[in-house]
Structure formats: structure tokens, C-alpha cells
Amino acid sequence: MFRFVCAIVFGVIATPLVAQDRIPSHCIALSHAAGGKYLHRAAVTAPLPDAQTVRIRYLDHAMFLIEAGNTSVATDFTGYLGPTTFLPDVVTMNHAHSSHWTAMVPEGIAHVLPGWGAEFGAGVDYHLDLGDMVVRNVSTDIRSMGGVEKNGNSIFIFEVGGLCIGHLGHLHHEPSAEQYAAIGRLDVVLAPVDGGMTVPIDTMISILQRLKSSIVIPMHWFGRANLQDSLVGMSNDFQVVRLEGNMLEVGLHKLPGRPTVMVLEPAYLQ
């Protein structure tokens, strides 16, 4: 059985983690659940209906805000969430481009998790237990300066409310068998569908078929035509649902009965 090694968050902007007993990973099986409603509107600080509901907001490009219980995470954080004073508890970043990370992290964010190592190619290994949520990562390679940086990208995985939510980051290749095993089950996957800057769309479809996630949320698309092309490519394998707004509230027992692409409209926090 794959075992995760305790991580030490390092780097000039990283915050030390407090050692604590881990909760076991539950991201080890394919999800099976009945359908339900997915779209809800709420303010940034609006309480969630129960401990098993997770709110996912698509903010911009590859940046999402994931909220559950008293914990919030911003993915591929660029330093700006919108015209708001709200700060998440955790930010994750990838360094493919400046649209996926920032060196100017606002004070008051407790945990800053760069998806790359302090040394080129070293990678990083996180297992952050926040009580309401566990944040971990699986490193993948990334293109860099005409070559390849080993372990330069992180697929961040959020175990929360019984769900396993994965953000594929700036993925440049299909994961290996070992990486798939490390990822485990993903009920919800946040997938780049640009088809060029990251993996080609046929490769992404292959990855999504392998993951068998209940919900796929497209991200990292450039314009409506680019998004539409990706949806056409995925429509043979996935039901496609366009939601109004940028937010989805989902729980383990509210997952669709068949793999579904749910399209959110990006919007900054207000």
C-alpha cells in the first residue's frame, strides 16, 4: 500500500507545519452515488449547510477557492482573489507561469504551499492535516527553458467531507502508473483543457477516463472557442452540464450517477 511521507513545508514563503497524527486517506476507491442539485449562491463567508458539503468557486484561469467547515484553500494562487479582504487558510501554487503563482503572498495566510522544490528538480511532498481537510500532492514533471524540470508541477489533492478533489495543475504529461496510484480516487477533478499549453485534449480525455471522476470542472481554457472545442472532445465520454455562475456545492452523496463535466464561469470574489 502506498504510504505518504510527512512533508516539511520549505522555501522563503512557506510556513512550518505543526506535527500531528494523520487521518487515514480515504481516496482509494471509485465513487458511486446518486444525482442531485449542484448550483447554489452564497456570500464568501456564508455557512455551508453541513460538514459533508464542499463549496468550490472558480475564480480565474486555474485558481479555485475550496471551502469546507472552517477551512478554505485557494489553488494556483496569483495573489489576487478579487476586491475583497478575505484570505484563505491555505494557498497552493505552481510555477509554470506567473498566472499560477506569486512571490507576493499577503500576510495572514497560514500555509503557503509551492508545488515545486527549493532546488531545481527536487520536487516537494506535502501532507497537511487541517482537521476539516487534508492537503497533499503528487509531483509531476514540467517543461522548462526548452527542457524538462523533474517534479516541477504538483497535482494537489484535497480530502474533505468524504470527497477527494484533485487539481491537476499545469500538467505536461500523463501520470505514470506510480503517480496514478499516489493520486488515488478523485471524485472531483479540476482539469486544464487548453489542449496546448498543458497536455493535448486527447491526452487529457485519456487521463480523465483513467481517473473515472464523477465531476470534471474545466479550467485553464483560453476563450470560448477553446472551451467549446474541449467540450466537444469530451462529450462522447462525459455528460456536459453548463452551470450558471462560478460556484458549485457538492457532497459525497450528491454526486452525479455518470461522469459529468460541469462548466463554471470564472469570477473573482466580491
Side-chain angles (χ1 to χ4, degrees), residues 51-121:
Q52 300 303 308
T53 298
V54 181
R55 181 181 295 139
I56 302 172
R57 299 177 192 262
Y58 186 22
L59 303 185
D60 181 56
H61 198 53
M63 186 165 57
F64 291 81
L65 181 67
I66 301 172
E67 301 170 89
N70 296 314
T71 303
S72 58
V73 177
T75 69
D76 276 29
F77 180 65
T78 62
Y80 181 72
L81 298 175
T84 176
T85 58
F86 174 82
L87 292 176
D89 302 297
V90 183
V91 297
T92 67
M93 297 185 289
N94 276 299
H95 71 159
H97 305 288
S98 59
S99 53
H100 296 264
W101 73 284
T102 180
M104 306 298 292
V105 178
E107 293 185 7
I109 296 176
H111 304 284
V112 180
L113 309 183
W116 62 97
E119 297 182 5
F120 188 87

Side-chain angles (χ1 to χ4, degrees), residues 33-38 40 49-50 53 215 249-256 262:
K37 292 186 176 180
Y38 314 111
H40 302 267
D50 55 67
T53 298
I215 296 175
E249 286 186 1
V250 65
L252 183 61
H253 302 294
K254 298 178 183 178
L255 296 173
M262 296 190 175

